[in-house]
Amino acid sequence: MLKYLFAKNEDIAPGTAAVFFGFSSIIWFVIGTGLGSFNAAKLAFPDFVTGSYLFSFGHMRQVHVLAVIFGWISMAFAMAMMYITPALGNTRLWSEKLGVWNCFLWNVGLSLGLTLLWTGMSSGREYSDMPWFIDLYIAAFIALPMAINVWMTIIKRRTQGIYTTNWFFGAGVFMVTIVFIVGNSPEWFNLTGLSEAYLTWWFAHNVLGLWITPIAAAIAYYTVPKVTGNPLYSHRIGHLHFWSVVVFYSTPAAHHLMSAPLPEWLKSFASVEGVLILVPAIAFVSNLLLTMQGKWHMFVENVEIKYTITGVLLAVPLNMQGGFQQTRAINWYVHGTGWIVAHAHLALLGFSTFLEGAAVYYGLQTILRRKLYSLALANFHFWFLLIGFAIYWISMTIAGLIQGAGKIYEVPYIDVVIAEHPYMIARWVGGTMVFTGNLVWLYNMWMTARAGAVIPEGRLPHELAYER
């Protein structure tokens, strides 16, 4: 990477920034899930690694969460935008050099921020735990350069219209910049009390709703038509999806604070809009599944489609559960329990991770012009990820229901801990399976870059997947 930082833009091959982002995202996924497995072991086996505050759950959890969000998920998004945006505009990335610098500064800033978190320097706000100067660094050297590169590539496109995917990309980088700046304002302006809590959860909710959800969906809008050869079923439904995400996901996020002294009208408004999230979800899922008409055999045979459609299908329970738990009665029962942890992992490790996995698999093969090194290892990764995630999600959902019942019926805390212990062990098993699968993925993609068969000109990687 270092040699490209000071090279001329025209001397850097197209796709270079995307390749660096792709491998960075996989490495951060390995780190993030490795930390997750470690934390799950501490919950399942309380005597596991004790005696050092550096390895306490409170320190390690923040590092795990932000390594996954800013490292794996967001870098995989950056990778997707660096190669899909120019491909849909029939042009080059506006500045390959800016993309390489963006990736370099991203890795440096994230490493520094996570190290500070690990040593205990934290703002203490959910999802925006980084110290204030790291927040400024992220806004100036990570979010803004990425947004400029995406917007300028869309502006300089050689196509007449803007495809649905680039609508989501262009809007997503704008929305996440606003969400990040506003969401971190309590720390910069010393806001306290209810204002601080409200803005903190506005940030936490909208990082998912206005960044992770739309960009993950945008990847599916590209991958399915590209790999199957079918045109998108309906561009109008795609636009309905886009605008309903903007309207219904940008809620005040007050459903995270149902027990706080917020105005009652605001809580009711948040609950209603929370249920209306089903509108973009139904539009998205139906549009993609109808695009698969006549090509469902690829769901079994093709790695990229297998990942994409699994992610699309996981949007169904994700949004059903999301709307369900935002009603007041259910929110009261599950608030603060493992149910919420399970739901968050359904969004980040289920829905979005499978779509990002498809983008990285397809993107690296396409840019490197290399056939996947091992299809068997890719399938191993898929099943370990899917089964590991399912074990995690189901066990934590059950643990959450146990914790909710214990809260309502005033069961002694130690009895609740004993009752949920088997599910904590299952959580650790599921998380460790995901981590193991990711190690295999890293090896497979590294070998693809070094020893994968060269893809001839005029062919696409998925066309060669089953040719020996």
Side-chain angles (χ1 to χ4, degrees), residues 163-165 168 217-218 220-226 228-239 241 283-293:
Y163 180 65
T164 307
T165 295
F168 279 97
Y221 278 118
Y222 175 80
T223 308
V224 174
K226 184 71 178 177
T228 62
N230 286 348
L232 182 65
Y233 177 74
S234 171
H235 290 272
R236 288 186 179 182
I237 296 178
H239 286 185
H241 177 202
F284 168 65
V285 174
S286 60
N287 209 2
L288 268 297
L289 296 187
L290 288 168
T291 304
M292 284 291 295
Q293 290 180 87

Coordinates of all heavy atoms in Angstrom, one line a residue, residues 163-165 168 217-218 220-226 228-239 241 283-293:
Y163 N -28.3 4.5 -11.5 CA -28.9 3.2 -11.1 C -29.2 3.2 -9.6 O -28.6 3.9 -8.8 CB -28.0 2.0 -11.4 CG -28.5 0.7 -11.1 CD1 -29.7 0.2 -11.7 CD2 -27.9 -0.1 -10.1 CE1 -30.2 -1.1 -11.3 CE2 -28.4 -1.3 -9.8 CZ -29.5 -1.8 -10.4 OH -30.0 -3.1 -10.0
T164 N -30.2 2.4 -9.2 CA -30.7 2.4 -7.8 C -29.5 2.3 -6.8 O -29.5 2.9 -5.7 CB -31.6 1.2 -7.6 OG1 -32.7 1.3 -8.6 CG2 -32.3 1.2 -6.2
T165 N -28.6 1.4 -7.1 CA -27.4 1.2 -6.1 C -26.7 2.5 -5.8 O -26.4 2.8 -4.7 CB -26.5 0.1 -6.7 OG1 -27.1 -1.1 -6.8 CG2 -25.2 0.0 -5.8
F168 N -28.5 4.8 -3.4 CA -28.3 4.4 -2.0 C -26.8 4.8 -1.6 O -26.6 5.3 -0.5 CB -28.5 2.9 -1.8 CG -29.9 2.6 -1.7 CD1 -30.6 2.1 -2.8 CD2 -30.6 2.6 -0.5 CE1 -32.0 1.7 -2.6 CE2 -31.9 2.3 -0.3 CZ -32.6 1.8 -1.4
A217 N -28.3 -3.0 1.4 CA -29.3 -3.2 0.4 C -28.8 -2.9 -1.0 O -29.1 -3.5 -2.0 CB -30.6 -2.4 0.7
A218 N -28.1 -1.8 -1.1 CA -27.5 -1.3 -2.4 C -26.7 -2.4 -3.0 O -26.7 -2.6 -4.3 CB -26.7 0.0 -2.2
A220 N -27.0 -5.6 -2.7 CA -27.9 -6.7 -3.3 C -28.5 -6.2 -4.6 O -28.6 -7.0 -5.5 CB -29.0 -7.0 -2.3
Y221 N -28.9 -4.9 -4.7 CA -29.4 -4.4 -6.0 C -28.4 -4.5 -7.1 O -28.8 -4.6 -8.3 CB -29.8 -2.9 -5.8 CG -31.2 -2.8 -5.2 CD1 -31.3 -2.1 -4.0 CD2 -32.3 -3.2 -5.8 CE1 -32.5 -1.9 -3.4 CE2 -33.6 -3.1 -5.2 CZ -33.7 -2.4 -4.0 OH -34.9 -2.2 -3.4
Y222 N -27.1 -4.6 -6.8 CA -26.1 -4.7 -7.8 C -25.8 -6.2 -8.1 O -25.7 -6.7 -9.2 CB -24.8 -4.0 -7.4 CG -23.7 -4.2 -8.4 CD1 -23.6 -3.5 -9.6 CD2 -22.6 -5.2 -8.1 CE1 -22.5 -3.7 -10.4 CE2 -21.6 -5.3 -9.0 CZ -21.5 -4.6 -10.2 OH -20.5 -4.8 -11.0
T223 N -25.6 -7.0 -7.0 CA -25.1 -8.3 -7.1 C -26.1 -9.3 -7.8 O -25.7 -10.0 -8.7 CB -24.8 -8.9 -5.7 OG1 -23.9 -8.0 -5.0 CG2 -24.0 -10.2 -5.8
V224 N -27.3 -9.2 -7.4 CA -28.3 -10.2 -8.0 C -28.5 -10.0 -9.5 O -28.3 -11.0 -10.3 CB -29.6 -10.1 -7.2 CG1 -30.7 -11.0 -7.9 CG2 -29.5 -10.5 -5.8
P225 N -28.8 -8.8 -10.0 CA -28.9 -8.6 -11.5 C -27.5 -9.0 -12.2 O -27.5 -9.5 -13.3 CB -29.3 -7.2 -11.7 CG -29.9 -6.8 -10.4 CD -29.1 -7.5 -9.3
K226 N -26.4 -8.6 -11.6 CA -25.1 -8.8 -12.2 C -24.8 -10.2 -12.4 O -24.3 -10.7 -13.5 CB -24.0 -8.1 -11.4 CG -22.6 -8.1 -12.0 CD -22.6 -7.2 -13.2 CE -21.2 -7.2 -13.9 NZ -21.1 -6.3 -15.1
T228 N -26.9 -13.0 -11.9 CA -27.9 -13.9 -12.5 C -28.2 -13.5 -14.0 O -28.6 -14.3 -14.8 CB -29.3 -13.7 -11.8 OG1 -29.7 -12.4 -11.9 CG2 -29.2 -14.1 -10.4
G229 N -27.9 -12.2 -14.4 CA -28.1 -11.8 -15.7 C -29.6 -11.3 -15.9 O -30.0 -10.9 -17.0
N230 N -30.4 -11.4 -14.8 CA -31.8 -10.9 -14.9 C -31.8 -9.4 -14.6 O -31.0 -8.9 -13.7 CB -32.6 -11.6 -13.8 CG -33.0 -13.0 -14.2 OD1 -32.8 -13.4 -15.4 ND2 -33.5 -13.7 -13.3
P231 N -32.6 -8.6 -15.3 CA -32.7 -7.2 -14.9 C -33.4 -7.0 -13.6 O -34.2 -8.0 -13.2 CB -33.6 -6.6 -16.1 CG -34.3 -7.8 -16.6 CD -33.5 -9.0 -16.4
L232 N -33.2 -5.9 -12.9 CA -33.9 -5.7 -11.6 C -35.4 -5.7 -11.9 O -35.9 -5.1 -12.9 CB -33.5 -4.3 -11.0 CG -34.2 -4.0 -9.7 CD1 -33.7 -4.9 -8.6 CD2 -33.8 -2.5 -9.3
Y233 N -36.2 -6.4 -11.0 CA -37.6 -6.6 -11.3 C -38.3 -5.3 -11.4 O -39.1 -5.1 -12.4 CB -38.2 -7.4 -10.1 CG -39.7 -7.6 -10.3 CD1 -40.3 -8.5 -11.2 CD2 -40.6 -6.9 -9.5 CE1 -41.6 -8.7 -11.3 CE2 -42.0 -7.0 -9.6 CZ -42.5 -7.9 -10.5 OH -43.8 -8.1 -10.6
S234 N -38.1 -4.4 -10.6 CA -38.8 -3.1 -10.7 C -38.0 -1.9 -10.1 O -37.6 -1.9 -8.9 CB -40.1 -3.1 -9.9 OG -40.7 -1.9 -9.8
H235 N -37.7 -1.0 -11.0 CA -36.9 0.2 -10.5 C -37.9 1.1 -9.7 O -37.4 1.8 -8.8 CB -36.4 1.0 -11.7 CG -35.3 0.3 -12.4 ND1 -33.9 0.5 -12.0 CD2 -35.3 -0.6 -13.4 CE1 -33.2 -0.3 -12.8 NE2 -33.9 -0.9 -13.6
R236 N -39.2 1.1 -9.9 CA -40.1 1.9 -9.1 C -40.2 1.4 -7.7 O -40.2 2.2 -6.8 CB -41.5 1.8 -9.8 CG -41.6 2.6 -11.1 CD -43.0 2.6 -11.6 NE -43.1 3.4 -12.8 CZ -44.2 3.6 -13.4 NH1 -45.4 3.1 -13.0 NH2 -44.3 4.4 -14.5
I237 N -40.2 0.0 -7.5 CA -40.1 -0.5 -6.2 C -38.8 -0.1 -5.5 O -38.8 0.1 -4.3 CB -40.4 -2.0 -6.2 CG1 -41.8 -2.3 -6.7 CG2 -40.2 -2.6 -4.8 CD1 -42.0 -3.8 -6.8
G238 N -37.7 -0.1 -6.3 CA -36.4 0.3 -5.7 C -36.5 1.7 -5.2 O -35.9 2.1 -4.2
H239 N -37.2 2.6 -6.0 CA -37.3 4.0 -5.5 C -38.2 4.1 -4.3 O -37.9 4.9 -3.4 CB -37.8 4.9 -6.7 CG -36.8 5.1 -7.7 ND1 -37.0 6.0 -8.8 CD2 -35.6 4.7 -7.9 CE1 -35.9 6.0 -9.6 NE2 -35.0 5.2 -9.0
H241 N -38.4 1.8 -2.0 CA -37.6 1.4 -1.0 C -36.7 2.5 -0.5 O -36.6 2.8 0.7 CB -36.7 0.2 -1.5 CG -35.7 -0.3 -0.5 ND1 -34.6 -1.0 -0.8 CD2 -35.7 -0.2 0.9 CE1 -33.9 -1.3 0.2 NE2 -34.5 -0.8 1.3
A283 N -40.6 -3.9 0.4 CA -40.2 -3.5 -1.0 C -38.9 -4.1 -1.4 O -38.7 -4.6 -2.5 CB -40.2 -1.9 -1.0
F284 N -38.0 -4.1 -0.5 CA -36.6 -4.6 -0.8 C -36.6 -6.1 -1.0 O -36.1 -6.6 -2.0 CB -35.7 -4.3 0.4 CG -34.4 -5.0 0.4 CD1 -33.4 -4.7 -0.6 CD2 -34.0 -5.9 1.4 CE1 -32.2 -5.4 -0.6 CE2 -32.8 -6.5 1.4 CZ -31.9 -6.3 0.4
V285 N -37.2 -6.8 -0.1 CA -37.2 -8.3 -0.2 C -38.0 -8.8 -1.4 O -37.5 -9.6 -2.2 CB -37.8 -8.9 1.1 CG1 -37.9 -10.5 0.9 CG2 -36.9 -8.6 2.3
S286 N -39.2 -8.2 -1.6 CA -40.0 -8.6 -2.8 C -39.3 -8.3 -4.1 O -39.3 -9.1 -5.0 CB -41.4 -8.0 -2.8 OG -41.2 -6.6 -2.8
N287 N -38.6 -7.2 -4.2 CA -38.0 -6.8 -5.4 C -36.8 -7.7 -5.8 O -36.6 -8.1 -6.9 CB -37.4 -5.3 -5.3 CG -37.4 -4.6 -6.6 OD1 -37.8 -5.1 -7.7 ND2 -36.9 -3.4 -6.6
L288 N -36.0 -8.1 -4.8 CA -34.9 -8.9 -5.0 C -35.3 -10.4 -5.3 O -34.7 -11.0 -6.2 CB -33.9 -8.9 -3.8 CG -32.8 -7.8 -3.9 CD1 -31.9 -8.1 -5.1 CD2 -33.3 -6.4 -4.1
L289 N -36.3 -10.9 -4.6 CA -36.7 -12.3 -4.8 C -37.4 -12.4 -6.1 O -37.2 -13.4 -6.8 CB -37.6 -12.7 -3.7 CG -37.0 -12.8 -2.2 CD1 -38.0 -13.4 -1.3 CD2 -35.7 -13.6 -2.2
L290 N -38.1 -11.4 -6.6 CA -38.7 -11.5 -7.9 C -37.7 -11.3 -9.0 O -37.8 -11.8 -10.1 CB -39.8 -10.4 -8.0 CG -41.1 -10.6 -7.2 CD1 -41.9 -9.4 -7.2 CD2 -41.8 -11.8 -7.8
T291 N -36.6 -10.7 -8.7 CA -35.5 -10.6 -9.7 C -34.8 -12.0 -9.9 O -34.2 -12.2 -11.0 CB -34.4 -9.6 -9.2 OG1 -35.0 -8.3 -9.0 CG2 -33.3 -9.4 -10.2
M292 N -35.0 -12.9 -9.0 CA -34.4 -14.2 -9.1 C -35.2 -15.2 -10.0 O -34.8 -16.3 -10.1 CB -34.2 -14.8 -7.7 CG -33.1 -14.2 -6.8 SD -31.5 -14.7 -7.4 CE -31.5 -16.5 -7.2
Q293 N -36.3 -14.7 -10.5 CA -37.1 -15.6 -11.3 C -36.3 -16.4 -12.4 O -35.6 -15.8 -13.2 CB -38.2 -14.8 -12.0 CG -39.3 -14.2 -11.1 CD -40.3 -13.4 -11.8 OE1 -41.3 -14.0 -12.3 NE2 -40.1 -12.1 -12.0

